[in-house]
Amino acid sequence: MNRPEVVVFWFRRDLRLKNNVGLNAALTSGFPVLPIFIFDENILGELPKDDARICFIHKQLQQINAELVTKKSSLLCLQGKPLEVWETLITQFNIKKVFVNRDFEPYALQRDKEVKKLFVKTEIHVEGFTDHLLVSPTEVLKNDGTPYTVFTPFSKKWKEVISHKTIEVFTKEGNFFEQNLELPSLKEIGFVSSNIKVEPANYEELHNYALHRDIPSKNSTSFLSPHLRFGTVSIRQIYEEVKEHEPFLNELIWREFFIHILYFFPESVSANFKPKYDGIPWRNNEEEFQKWCDGKTGFPMVDAGMRQLNQTGYMHNRVRMITAGFLCKHLLIDWRWGEAYFAKKLLDFELASNVGNWQWAAGTGCDAAPYFRVFNPSEQQRKFDQQEKYIRKWIPEFGTNLYPKPMVDHKFARERAIETYKNALNE
């Protein structure tokens, strides 16, 4: 049987045809481009059947497929363990080259390492590109070649590196492999539709970010984070929009900082970045953890945030700091418990940012809040939700007898946290 000659572009966290670095390179190869996506069973098995992120990915793949139809092609959408999928693919196609955009998370690196062994064995060349970051991890290093572990010097070096880069727009039109395939349905993948939806990116709010960034009731955030996570927008396009707006640009740099940290320190996924905090005797009270998960702590800003998360998959950034700080400091519950809960619920879950921000809140991370900084949730409410618009939106029983009393006294919890951390550090 004659196997069709193709190059393959493997979609991963870059779910768009426009301004896609790896896809652009594939389209310049001179061979028809076979676009593929693999629903990875190593990941799917850990998710609920109505996972909103899978629904979002599926919807985006439908859009990609509709665009490919206009080019007399379609997306080859497969399901299984990536290595096994590739073993089958190479028997069906004469693959001249594989193009991918790099993913720097630990699982992705391991997956790619395994698949690359197969490519080496079968003499298939792979080309990898950086698409979901503006600056790759090996480009922002100290003079001695080691990675930065503090944000401010990282940010300065990052800005220096980016100032010498040409931010390109990749718009190559090319020849896709002609095929007419239907995308599998959600049901065929083993999932059902979710009531939680990803909001469209709100570019109009990028310029107002500094003005409203800490006011959760305004609902004026960009909603960009899930789109950056799954690559439905180009980070280069966003950079061009916001490069003159320092507060928003800094958020993009924090995202890249945490991705770089996880790349160089993959053990920080489950270990304290600073081992000196390993001795903290977390209380890990399961009943108290459940109250936090359910938004029934009696602290309105914490509860409103957790209910927003549970109902929508979103949580305002300021409120994320408050809820995370409360769990780690007020309740002395291990940051890993909170990180795992957010990983299940957040539409924009990105391992590096989630781990980095949780370790920041717990005080155990690379450039974390000091252990003795304990947010007062009531004071945070007075500063950022003075008119109670946010808490009343998410807590309909607020102000009635149905709303629980605070589960712990702030002053007591603060002193307990500081004493616990101090003793652990001294020991």
Side-chain angles (χ1 to χ4, degrees), residues 245-256:
H245 300 271
E246 193 76 10
F248 199 95
L249 178 61
N250 277 336
E251 294 302 316
L252 294 185
I253 301 172
W254 268 106
R255 174 179 174 268
E256 301 222 347

Side-chain angles (χ1 to χ4, degrees), residues 167-194:
I167 305 300
E168 295 182 66
V169 178
F170 297 90
T171 56
K172 173 72 179 172
E173 290 289 330
N175 179 23
F176 285 93
F177 179 68
E178 286 194 21
Q179 57 185 4
N180 183 16
L181 303 172
E182 287 207 9
L183 211 63
S185 66
L186 270 177
K187 186 178 179 182
E188 287 171 314
I189 302 162
F191 287 79
V192 297
S193 187
S194 171

Side-chain angles (χ1 to χ4, degrees), residues 126-244:
V126 186
E127 284 198 40
F129 301 85
T130 298
D131 180 78
H132 79 286
L133 292 174
L134 287 158
V135 180
S136 65
T138 52
E139 291 181 279
V140 187
L141 298 170
K142 298 177 190 174
N143 292 336
D144 63 1
T146 60
Y148 287 95
T149 58
V150 177
F151 177 74
T152 300
F154 172 89
S155 174
K156 287 178 182 172
K157 184 62 178 278
W158 187 96
K159 288 174 181 174
E160 181 190 320
V161 171
I162 204 83
S163 70
H164 297 297
K165 276 180 173 277
T166 302
I167 305 300
E168 295 182 66
V169 178
F170 297 90
T171 56
K172 173 72 179 172
E173 290 289 330
N175 179 23
F176 285 93
F177 179 68
E178 286 194 21
Q179 57 185 4
N180 183 16
L181 303 172
E182 287 207 9
L183 211 63
S185 66
L186 270 177
K187 186 178 179 182
E188 287 171 314
I189 302 162
F191 287 79
V192 297
S193 187
S194 171
N195 294 325
I196 293 175
K197 307 297 179 194
V198 172
E199 298 284 346
N202 185 0
Y203 293 95
E204 292 176 13
E205 291 301 331
L206 299 182
H207 308 294
N208 293 323
Y209 182 74
L211 197 61
H212 302 313
R213 62 182 293 184
D214 283 319
I215 312 298
S217 63
K218 285 199 173 290
N219 204 29
S220 60
T221 52
S222 67
F223 294 107
L224 264 173
S225 51
H227 298 278
L228 285 174
R229 167 64 184 89
F230 296 108
T232 62
V233 297
S234 162
I235 185 68
R236 294 173 299 285
Q237 177 192 342
I238 302 305
Y239 174 73
E240 291 295 346
E241 293 265 359
V242 306
K243 62 185 178 184
E244 304 302 328

